[in-house]
Amino acid sequence: MHILVIDGHHVEAEFRQKFGPEHEYTFISTEHQGKDEWLEIQQSVAEAAASAGTAFCFSRVGTHSSPYMVVSGFQLPVFVEIQTESTADIQRFDVANAATATYFGFCGLPTLLNRPLLEVSLTHEADREKLAATCAALGTDYRVVEDRVGLVTPRVVCQIINEACFTLQEGTASMQDIDLGMRLGTNYPRGPFAWANAIGVERVYAVLEAMWHDTHDERYKVCPLLKRQALRGEPFGV
C-alpha cells in the first residue's frame, strides 16, 4: 500500500518500523512561509493522495492548523492523530467533505506508535468495516477506543508525567530518583521525565491542556513546572 504521511517526519523511523518495508511511503510537511509555498504543498499532497491507499496526519506542535485543511476532498481513509481534538470535531469542521470523508483517530505520539496494537477511534460506527479492511491492508492489529481528546494511552502517560512534575516541584524527590523509581518499581520502559523528553515536552503539555479544557478534571490541570518547560521549548535535564 502507498501511505501518505503528513507532518510525520519527527516519527518517520518509528512509523516505518511500525508498518514495515512492504509499503510505499510519502512524507510531506505542511510547514510553509507564504501563500505560494502553501499552494505547492497542497499540490504535492494531491499528487500523492491520487495513488495512496490511506493517509496519516500528525499534529504539529505550536500550531492550530487542522489536517483536513490539506486532505479535504480526497476519497481515501484518513487517520488523524488525536491530541487536542477528537475525530468527531475534525469531521464536524470539515463541512465541505463531511459526506464523503472517512476519518479515524489514532495514537501517534513518539514512543507510543510502534506497538503491536494501533490505538484508533471511530467517528461513525458504520465505518468499522472500512477500518478493519484498512488495518488489514496496513498489516496491523488495532484496538478501537472512545473518540475523546487524548484517546487512552496518551492521556495516561501524560498524566503520569504531570504527576511526576508535581512531585519534583514540591521537592519530594529529585528528577533522577523519580525516573529511577518508576523504572525499577513499575517496570516502565522509561522514567516520566525521560519519557516526556522522548515524546516532546510541548506535546505532553498540548495533550494535558486539551484534556483540561475538555473535562475540567483536576487530574489534567497542568503542573506549572511542566508548562514552563513546554513554553520555553526545553527538555528536562535528565
Side-chain angles (χ1 to χ4, degrees):
M1 177 188 286
H2 179 194
I3 306 173
L4 170 59
V5 186
I6 298 173
D7 291 324
H9 288 84
H10 62 292
V11 289
E12 181 171 350
E14 186 177 357
F15 193 93
R16 290 178 181 273
Q17 290 170 356
K18 167 62 182 172
F19 295 108
E22 61 271 23
H23 299 291
E24 176 187 353
Y25 301 91
T26 299
F27 285 79
I28 296 177
S29 171
T30 64
E31 187 173 358
H32 61 283
Q33 299 297 323
K35 182 178 179 181
D36 290 342
E37 192 173 354
W38 174 243
L39 292 175
E40 291 177 5
I41 290 170
Q42 288 182 306
Q43 180 63 32
S44 297
V45 171
E47 291 173 357
S51 62
T54 190
F56 282 79
C57 297
F58 286 82
S59 298
R60 283 180 55 199
V61 175
T63 71
H64 297 287
S65 60
S66 295
Y68 68 80
M69 293 175 65
V70 288
V71 299
S72 181
F74 298 145
Q75 306 301 308
L76 75 166
V78 179
F79 289 85
V80 180
E81 184 185 10
I82 297 302
Q83 282 191 23
T84 60
E85 53 191 352
S86 68
T87 51
D89 292 331
I90 293 168
Q91 193 150 25
R92 185 167 60 252
F93 290 133
D94 186 10
V95 178
N97 199 33
T100 57
T102 303
Y103 289 118
F104 305 121
F106 81 102
C107 170
L109 285 178
T111 76
L112 302 180
L113 176 60
N114 185 21
R115 298 183 291 165
L117 291 173
L118 182 67
E119 186 174 326
V120 296
S121 64
L122 288 167
T123 309
H124 303 295
E125 185 61 30
D127 294 331
R128 190 174 288 270
E129 289 187 9
K130 184 175 288 188
L131 173 64
T134 304
C135 286
L138 288 168
T140 182
D141 290 331
Y142 63 96
R143 178 68 53 83
V144 176
V145 300
E146 185 179 4
D147 184 35
R148 290 286 302 276
V149 173
L151 297 183
V152 174
T153 310
R155 185 169 68 242
V156 171
V157 172
C158 291
Q159 186 181 350
I160 290 170
I161 293 168
N162 198 41
E163 289 299 320
C165 287
F166 276 117
T167 301
L168 177 64
Q169 181 176 273
E170 292 163 1
T172 306
S174 70
M175 192 181 301
Q176 291 73 20
D177 287 344
I178 293 170
D179 265 13
L180 182 62
M182 291 296 285
R183 283 196 299 106
L184 298 180
T186 64
N187 201 31
Y188 283 1
R190 299 172 178 85
F193 295 103
W195 211 340
N197 289 347
I199 292 172
V201 178
E202 292 164 294
R203 293 186 178 89
V204 174
Y205 172 67
V207 171
L208 290 166
E209 271 286 279
M211 288 301 303
W212 166 250
H213 288 296
D214 184 51
T215 67
H216 290 288
D217 189 322
E218 288 293 324
R219 291 178 298 172
Y220 305 116
K221 196 168 186 178
V222 183
C223 175
L225 173 64
L226 175 59
K227 181 177 181 178
R228 185 174 69 247
Q229 292 293 117
L231 295 181
R232 289 177 176 174
E234 297 177 355
F236 289 104
V238 291

